Amino acid sequence: MSGMDYFGSGTNQEIDDRGSVLPGYVPYLSLVFKLTATLVNMLLVGWVVYTIKTTRNLHRPHNIFVANLLTSGILYTLSGTLLSGAMMIGYQLGVEFFISCDPWKLRTLPFYVSITSFVIIAADKVIAVTSPFKYNRTMTPRVVTAIVGGAWLLAIIPTAYAFIDGGDGVNEVPEYGTCSFDGKGYAQLVFIIMIPTFVASILTMILNIYLAMKAYQVHKQIEKETKLSGHNSQSDNLAALKKKQHRIRQNRKPIITLLVVISGYIFIALFFIPVQVLGRLLIDSQIYQDLMDYVVSPNMELVLQFYSVLVYGLYFKQVREPMMKRLRRLLRINKFNSVAPQP
């Protein structure tokens, strides 16, 4: 999920007839980074999704929603890399406008699925904690499939709007495999990408804060009930509260994981946007402007994708342990095959 890169660059400045002032090898370095980072992200996402699919005790709504989040995220970054690479290769071959900016709008589909998935994951944990019995009866595999499918179907609406609204204010920058925008294009960026990203992030944070407050309230109620009952563990009310607390603890790790991902996104955005805006105002250097516009900003989505899959793959213990188990098993098989005597 990246609200900073819709058509590939967050700028209203075009490369003029003289071209970019950056050295000629910079576009190649940017393309190599895109390809390498995309490959690494694909391998990590594939590893996490495969682990969730093949591990029976991970077949839970939360993990299915996480797999959908990571899948939509890698589709977003992969499509961007393919379009950017095709545009840059076409430019080097002399076909300056080999790909227009219209295909970039297709990336609105996986983008919206990604930001919707964050809200779905947070809402899923709220329902699991506050209404566990209703949750277990309701969240059947069919319902989970319908939720995932619904997220993709709803994402078609803003994608269609991006095409219907036209391409005014969007200009190809084939040398760097991206698009710049101004006027109507920038307004479209704000309306279709930035505002929904902000709303989804805030809503996800609110749901997580609500769960944190719920956990604190249950903890205080247990303390109060323990004092009133004289440490009598047979108190029905105390037993019910401890069940609530146990349920919250069971869901604590997924909640914290989601909070870490969202907080990281917000921190990166809060750090990157002022650097870009203030740098544009304070640093009177065309090299800096071109570097931020055509290299740093378009590649930021790859960093965010890597961050999210790293958190879910390594920080989330329930997924990390079976991932490592499969890796060790694969290494043992390869080692055995390499030392096995040949007939």
Side-chain angles (χ1 to χ4, degrees):
M1 181 178 69
S2 172
M4 293 173 284
D5 179 36
Y6 176 39
F7 298 107
S9 176
T11 176
N12 58 0
Q13 177 183 3
E14 300 179 46
I15 296 180
D16 56 22
D17 294 335
R18 63 173 172 75
S20 169
V21 299
L22 295 174
Y25 59 81
V26 173
Y28 297 103
L29 293 179
S30 179
L31 180 60
V32 169
F33 175 80
K34 288 178 185 293
L35 295 173
T36 304
T38 301
L39 179 61
V40 171
N41 281 326
M42 287 179 62
L43 292 174
L44 289 175
V45 169
W47 192 8
V48 174
V49 173
Y50 176 77
T51 300
I52 293 174
K53 183 179 183 298
T54 57
T55 306
R56 184 175 296 274
N57 62 355
L58 292 179
H59 293 177
R60 299 173 183 175
H62 171 79
N63 298 322
I64 302 301
F65 296 144
V66 168
N68 185 56
L69 167 68
L70 296 178
T71 301
S72 60
I74 196 60
L75 287 176
Y76 179 75
T77 55
L78 177 61
S79 60
T81 298
L82 292 176
L83 290 170
S84 180
M87 188 180 289
M88 294 174 70
I89 292 173
Y91 175 81
Q92 296 301 325
L93 294 177
V95 187
E96 187 170 352
F97 299 107
F98 179 67
I99 291 182
S100 69
C101 288
D102 284 338
W104 290 86
K105 298 177 183 180
L106 289 172
R107 306 178 71 216
T108 307
L109 182 66
F111 172 81
Y112 263 81
V113 175
S114 293
I115 63 174
T116 304
S117 295
F118 281 109
V119 181
I120 290 174
I121 293 171
D124 174 72
K125 290 293 103 181
V126 170
I127 298 173
V129 169
T130 57
S131 305
F133 300 109
K134 183 178 179 181
Y135 178 85
N136 293 332
R137 292 195 304 267
T138 304
M139 297 301 290
T140 62
R142 182 175 297 180
V143 172
V144 173
T145 301
I147 293 174
V148 172
W152 285 91
L153 289 175
L154 287 175
I156 294 176
I157 298 174
T159 305
Y161 176 79
F163 280 95
I164 294 172
D165 196 40
D168 296 341
V170 182
N171 308 286
E172 293 87 353
V173 187
E175 182 181 354
Y176 288 90
T178 185
C179 299
S180 66
F181 48 90
D182 52 26
K184 186 178 179 180
Y186 192 81
Q188 191 181 63
L189 171 77
V190 172
F191 181 72
I192 297 180
I193 299 298
M194 290 186 175
I195 293 178
T197 301
F198 176 78
V199 172
S201 300
I202 294 299
L203 184 57
T204 303
M205 292 292 290
I206 290 174
L207 291 173
N208 278 277
I209 292 171
Y210 169 77
L211 287 173
M213 293 174 61
K214 192 75 174 177
Y216 178 76
Q217 290 173 357
V218 170
H219 176 72
K220 298 302 289 185
Q221 288 176 348
I222 289 176
E223 288 185 345
K224 182 179 179 180
E225 186 67 24
T226 302
K227 292 179 181 179
L228 293 176
S229 61
H231 301 281
N232 180 12
S233 60
Q234 301 300 320
S235 169
D236 292 339
N237 192 30
L238 181 60
L241 288 171
K242 287 188 175 180
K243 284 184 179 180
K244 282 186 179 181
Q245 187 179 52
H246 177 68
R247 193 162 57 245
I248 291 173
R249 286 175 177 172
Q250 284 182 320
N251 291 279
R252 181 172 57 188
K253 191 70 172 184
I255 293 169
I256 294 175
T257 303
L258 178 61
L259 191 60
V260 168
V261 173
I262 288 293
S263 300
Y265 278 7
I266 293 175
F267 175 79
I268 293 172
L270 291 177
F271 172 79
F272 176 77
I273 293 175
V275 167
Q276 189 180 35
V277 174
L278 292 177
R280 191 179 298 278
L281 296 175
L282 301 178
I283 301 178
D284 186 18
S285 169
Q286 190 62 41
I287 293 179
Y288 175 84
Q289 304 294 345
D290 287 353
L291 187 66
M292 294 297 295
D293 291 342
Y294 306 122
V295 179
V296 177
S297 179
N299 289 320
M300 185 58 62
E301 65 186 55
L302 295 165
V303 177
L304 294 175
Q305 173 67 26
F306 180 76
Y307 171 74
S308 62
V309 70
L310 199 65
V311 171
Y312 276 112
L314 298 181
Y315 177 74
F316 193 26
K317 183 179 179 181
Q318 289 182 329
V319 176
R320 183 184 71 245
E321 289 185 346
M323 282 177 62
M324 294 297 106
K325 185 182 297 184
R326 278 165 173 72
L327 178 62
R328 289 192 294 268
R329 186 182 303 167
L330 179 64
L331 293 176
R332 283 198 300 268
I333 292 173
N334 290 336
K335 182 178 180 181
F336 174 78
N337 291 334
S338 63
V339 300
Q342 298 296 324

